[in-house]
Amino acid sequence: PSHPAATSGALSPFDRRLKRKQKNWAALQAEPAKCDYLREEVRGSSGAVPGDETFPLALDVGSGRGYIAQHLTKETVEKLIQVDVAENALKNAVETEIPTVKVVADEEFLPFKENTFDLVVSSLSLHWVNDLPKAFKEIHHVLKPDGVFIGAMFGGDTLYELRCSLQLAELEREGGFSPHVSPFTAVADLGHLLSRAGFNTLTVDTDEIQVNYPGLFEVMEDLQGRYILCMGESNCSWNRKPLLHRETMLAAAAIYREMYGNTDGSVPATFQIYYMIGWKYHESQAKPAQRGSATVSFGDLAKIEGLISRGKK
């Protein structure tokens, strides 16, 4: 299922084989409740449209252990295909009332025919793909005309406090730095990428989730304990640095607290989330509703019937 997209780190910032290993390991080690708080927050995005139909066939791209599926019903999605690069994640998926088929595949190379799905969803997975424009084109390709894509992914300002503190500490103690937090897409690029992939009537929103910790060491421990264990979120950049010296870590902890510390002594860690909704063109589609007129949120996955075609009135 892993596809050697390129051998150059400049062209392909992420080692997808390593990411698959990380997610497979995480799927066997994790306690799902540990990452619920962030995933619950991600479900609370804004923006959607009214509608009154059911999705006969849906696709969950980068499904992991099927978190999204837990919030869908068979009245809104009749059949669900779950795709993930990690077979262990699919083997340990949470059961759902919806008839489900599990497929091991890379998000950048979806093994489905054109015009197959009525709905495609993706939550906190696409930030790890090497070729995001291609991934969006793949999603657009497998959607039926008038089908909808609903996604959420980590944004460019995610963990900026940690990133900056580590970089300043390494510059000070070691005379240079390498990435310890993976790169993310800028929100200014997202709408353009979706549009180039063929989506129309786009909605792109951004939100921030801030979690407070006693200090930098607790931030990194939690990232390992939760985001490696729960979502396989360890850094898989080709140019990642495998080791941080203790003196550098101590300096980074001091910088973190000095630059970003709260009055109570804790430090914040920020997760930026991008939410997106895009439709595949169909001639029956009506003109977009007035901005701000949405009545259903991405968080209301149990009410996903409210996210279907607005073209049929």
Side-chain angles (χ1 to χ4, degrees):
S2 60
H3 194 293
T7 57
S8 168
L11 297 177
S12 300
F14 301 121
D15 182 344
R16 294 291 291 176
R17 290 187 178 90
L18 176 58
K19 174 48 55 185
R20 180 187 176 195
K21 290 180 180 179
Q22 290 170 345
K23 292 186 73 174
N24 270 322
W25 179 76
L28 296 177
Q29 301 294 324
E31 298 176 30
K34 283 189 174 182
C35 53
D36 278 353
Y37 77 90
L38 186 57
R39 290 194 179 274
E40 287 290 345
E41 289 286 344
V42 169
R43 287 177 55 237
S45 89
S46 62
V49 291
D52 57 359
E53 294 185 16
T54 299
F55 297 102
L57 184 62
L59 172 67
D60 185 355
V61 177
S63 62
R65 283 172 301 193
Y67 183 84
I68 287 181
Q70 299 175 59
H71 303 280
L72 301 174
T73 68
K74 58 186 177 182
E75 285 76 30
T76 56
V77 172
E78 294 178 356
K79 186 175 182 179
L80 178 66
I81 309 296
Q82 294 176 316
V83 168
D84 200 276
V85 70
E87 59 270 25
N88 287 343
L90 295 173
K91 289 177 183 177
N92 290 277
V94 179
E95 292 190 13
T96 173
E97 65 178 29
I98 302 171
T100 301
V101 175
K102 299 174 177 61
V103 177
V104 179
D106 195 308
E107 294 93 335
E108 295 182 36
F109 304 92
L110 297 177
F112 305 106
K113 294 181 179 179
E114 185 178 9
N115 303 332
T116 297
F117 297 97
D118 305 278
L119 165 71
V120 176
V121 295
S122 181
S123 182
L124 302 185
S125 168
L126 292 175
H127 56 282
W128 282 126
V129 302
N130 278 315
D131 192 341
L132 188 57
K134 185 179 187 303
F136 284 154
K137 289 179 181 178
E138 289 278 301
I139 291 170
H140 184 271
H141 180 77
V142 303
L143 269 174
K144 292 180 179 179
D146 207 27
V148 61
F149 167 55
I150 306 172
M153 61 185 289
F154 286 118
D157 287 339
T158 294
L159 298 173
Y160 72 87
E161 304 98 338
L162 177 62
R163 192 193 314 262
C164 183
S165 299
L166 290 173
Q167 289 178 354
L168 289 175
E170 282 192 290
L171 283 170
E172 176 189 337
R173 297 302 173 95
E174 302 179 33
F177 66 87
S178 63
H180 298 280
V181 179
S182 295
F184 299 107
T185 302
V187 69
D189 300 327
L190 197 56
H192 179 62
L193 292 176
L194 289 165
S195 179
R196 284 181 56 189
F199 291 100
N200 60 43
T201 319
L202 295 171
T203 299
V204 178
D205 290 319
T206 182
D207 194 12
E208 289 187 352
I209 301 169
Q210 194 170 89
V211 184
N212 292 319
Y213 296 88
L216 175 140
F217 292 101
E218 287 78 10
V219 173
M220 298 193 72
E221 180 182 5
D222 194 49
L223 289 175
Q224 292 178 344
R226 297 183 191 275
Y227 301 105
I228 294 175
L229 291 180
C230 292
M231 295 186 287
E233 292 299 299
S234 53
N235 186 2
C236 63
S237 299
W238 287 104
N239 58 345
R240 65 193 177 275
K241 188 175 180 179
L243 173 63
L244 277 167
H245 297 295
R246 177 171 174 79
E247 286 190 1
T248 303
M249 288 289 292
L250 291 172
I255 292 170
Y256 203 137
R257 193 175 302 278
E258 178 66 25
M259 292 184 63
Y260 305 107
N262 299 316
T263 55
D264 63 358
S266 64
V267 297
T270 299
F271 299 87
Q272 185 180 41
I273 312 295
Y274 299 154
Y275 301 102
M276 54 204 134
I277 300 176
W279 301 77
K280 187 168 183 176
Y281 175 75
H282 187 271
E283 60 184 9
S284 68
Q285 289 173 349
K287 293 182 179 179
Q290 184 177 354
R291 184 174 179 85
S293 62
T295 59
V296 181
S297 77
F298 185 85
D300 294 325
L301 285 172
K303 302 176 183 177
I304 201 166
E305 68 269 15
L307 300 176
I308 58 162
S309 171
R310 77 207 88 179
K312 301 173 182 178
K313 292 188 177 180

